[in-house]
């Protein structure tokens, strides 16, 4: 997985982002001010930087000048259009404002890593392999026929592995906000994926919430 530098002076937010990124398999380092961030960027190579703007020492706009073309996501409370335009014009790959939802940040991280070819092109767990480029799923080397929604649900579970996802959130992420069905649709598709992939023990039911794909890190 990717090597990610988190530049955020609020320790609670820094730790929250770090823990969730590590849950899905990324390797993370944390710094809390702009000067240390520049030093870290000069000494180490990263696949992605998650960067606040309002930082002690040097602000994020100054830090990104030293990013050496490293993909960068601004994560900041500065939500005005001029700030967004400035951040993107300085080379940021994405711009997410606080308060934010962790699942959205994880999705944006995955999107940037895919776009910059820093993300893995496949995922393996036990006897299952998923090829993201071809959108194909294999079990014991044999192609598994999945419907488009089964595949999309599987990809959401993989991208958010080890994180509990509610049925409602899965419904939104896979079927969209305007879907008129109910959460039983999620249950039916989960059961089909479990059976097709032999993942009865890997896709865990989270009591009164939803599901979690458990993968050792």
């Amino acid at each position: 997985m990717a090597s990610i530098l988190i530049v955020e002076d609020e320790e609670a937010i820094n730790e929250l982002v770090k823990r969730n990124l590590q849950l899905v398999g990324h390797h993370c380092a944390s710094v809390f001010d702009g000067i240390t961030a520049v030093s870290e960027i000069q000494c180490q190579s990263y696949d992605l930087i998650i960067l606040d703007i309002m930082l002690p020492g040097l602000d994020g706009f100054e830090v990104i000048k030293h990013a050496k073309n490293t993909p960068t996501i601004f994560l900041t409370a500065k939500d005005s259009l001029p700030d967004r335009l400035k951040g993107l014009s300085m080379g940021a790959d994405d711009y997410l404002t606080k308060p934010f939802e962790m699942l959205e940040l994880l999705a944006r991280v995955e999107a940037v890593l895919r776009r910059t070819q820093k993300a893995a092109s496949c995922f393996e767990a036990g006897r299952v392999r998923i090829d993201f480029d071809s959108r194909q799923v294999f079990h014991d080397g044999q192609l598994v026929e999945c419907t488009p929604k089964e595949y999309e649900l599987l990809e959401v579970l993989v991208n958010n592995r080890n994180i509990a996802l509610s049925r409602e959130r899965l419904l939104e992420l896979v079927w969209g906000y305007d879907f008129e069905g109910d959460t039983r649709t999620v249950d039916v598709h989960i059961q089909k994926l479990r059976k097709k992939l032999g993942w009865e023990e890997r896709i865990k039911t989270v009591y009164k919430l939803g599901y979690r794909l458990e993968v050792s890190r």
Side-chain angles (χ1 to χ4, degrees), residues 2 29 32 66 86 110 112 125 128 131 138 142 146 148 150-151 159 170 199 203:
F32 303 91
H66 301 269
K86 182 177 180 179
E110 186 66 21
V112 170
V128 173
D131 187 316
F138 300 87
Q142 300 297 311
C146 291
E150 286 171 355
Y151 179 83
N159 288 340
L170 288 169
W199 275 5
I203 301 178

Side-chain angles (χ1 to χ4, degrees), residues 15-35:
E15 183 64 20
L16 177 66
V17 171
K18 182 178 181 180
R19 286 186 179 184
N20 279 272
L21 288 170
Q22 289 177 331
L23 274 175
V24 300
H26 297 300
H27 303 288
C28 301
S30 295
V31 296
F32 303 91
D33 65 84
I35 295 173

Side-chain angles (χ1 to χ4, degrees), residues 7 9 32-38 41 51-67 74 76 78 83 86 90:
V7 187
D9 63 318
F32 303 91
D33 65 84
I35 295 173
T36 305
V38 171
I41 292 168
L51 179 61
D52 192 9
I53 292 176
M54 294 181 287
L55 295 166
L58 296 174
D59 68 20
F61 292 137
E62 290 298 318
V63 173
I64 199 173
K65 294 177 182 177
H66 301 269
F74 274 123
T76 176
K78 294 177 75 67
D83 286 323
K86 182 177 180 179
M90 294 187 73

Side-chain angles (χ1 to χ4, degrees), residues 50-116:
I50 296 177
L51 179 61
D52 192 9
I53 292 176
M54 294 181 287
L55 295 166
L58 296 174
D59 68 20
F61 292 137
E62 290 298 318
V63 173
I64 199 173
K65 294 177 182 177
H66 301 269
K68 299 182 296 187
N69 297 318
T70 303
T72 300
I73 297 175
F74 274 123
L75 180 63
T76 176
K78 294 177 75 67
D79 60 357
S80 72
L81 180 58
D83 286 323
R84 288 173 180 268
L85 294 175
K86 182 177 180 179
L88 294 171
S89 68
M90 294 187 73
D93 295 80
D94 206 344
Y95 193 109
L96 182 61
T97 59
K98 303 172 185 175
F100 64 96
E101 289 200 32
M102 185 55 62
L103 291 183
E104 182 179 5
L105 175 60
L106 293 176
R108 290 183 183 229
V109 165
E110 186 66 21
V112 170
L113 291 174
R114 291 272 180 90
R115 193 162 61 243
T116 58

Side-chain angles (χ1 to χ4, degrees), residues 131-204:
D131 187 316
F132 295 120
D133 293 333
S134 65
R135 292 173 63 93
Q136 290 181 311
V137 183
F138 300 87
H139 182 265
D140 283 338
Q142 300 297 311
L143 181 65
V144 177
E145 294 294 338
C146 291
T147 67
K149 288 304 179 188
E150 286 171 355
Y151 179 83
E152 289 173 27
L153 176 59
L154 179 59
E155 189 165 320
V156 166
L157 290 170
V158 169
N159 288 340
N160 297 282
R161 53 194 174 274
N162 299 314
I163 295 174
L165 300 169
S166 70
R167 291 175 173 85
E168 292 77 12
R169 179 47 60 89
L170 288 169
L171 204 61
E172 293 171 1
L173 292 173
V174 178
W175 282 268
Y177 290 96
D178 56 353
F179 180 68
E180 295 182 356
D182 59 31
T183 56
R184 286 176 294 182
T185 300
V186 175
D187 297 332
V188 170
H189 282 71
I190 288 289
Q191 293 308 317
K192 289 180 178 179
L193 284 177
R194 281 172 168 165
K195 185 175 182 180
K196 288 183 176 183
L197 304 180
W199 275 5
E200 289 84 356
E201 297 301 319
R202 194 175 289 279
I203 301 178
K204 299 288 188 180

